[in-house]
Amino acid sequence: AGAVIRIKNFAHPISVARKVLEEIPHLMLSGKGAELFARLMGFREISPNEQYANTDDREIEKLPEDYREFVRKYSKLLAEQRTFSTVGAVAIDSKGHIVAGTSTGGIAHAFPGRVGDTPIIGAGTFASRSAGASATGLGEGILRVSVTRKLVELVEGGQAVQEACDRVVEICSERGFQCGVIALDAEGNAGLSHNGFFMPTMYSRFD
Ligand code: ASP
């Protein structure tokens, strides 16, 4: 696995994450180290205006002196959030190798420095020899449940991939947060489930 967090001014952080997977023994790089690694790998830097990010250093400067007021206000907005911008993919090749990838701009109304579920292996993204999964929704909830790891373990335990998707989303609903998942098992069967928000999905098969 490979992941990067807090990386700025690169157009496709997930491509840098893939290089982490391929090139170094670590699983995750963050901040300036991730940016240095991206440069070393030959990725092109873009200007801040060309990228999309919900919370950046400019917002840190805007933080009110009474940060508790900020946290109260934004915690409420965070819990009410209903739109998610994460992009996820799960694929299996003809040899049965399963991969999953997830990339996000994060969420709105987050405290600067917040890390969501997306780059955390087993939370927003997970793949084993048996199944792979990608999640979207409220990161704070997805992290607590370890949604994609749980989903894959359910498949490993004998559940059909669609049932496993439904089960993890049911757990998220019981806990009161929004979540959506896509998944594939080792036979290429696809599953998807989400609890009620707009989540466009696509499935393709190339024989
Ligand atoms: N899961 C992402 C996060 O919490 C948000 C999303 O799915 O769009 O950072």
Side-chain angles (χ1 to χ4, degrees), residues 80-121:
E80 287 168 356
Q81 188 144 313
R82 292 288 177 271
T83 52
F84 301 101
S85 60
T86 292
V87 178
V90 189
I92 180 168
D93 70 11
S94 56
K95 296 192 183 75
H97 300 126
I98 305 171
V99 292
T102 315
S103 183
T104 191
I107 54 170
H109 315 306
F111 199 89
R114 175 243 190 209
V115 177
D117 59 300
T118 305
I120 308 299
I121 307 304

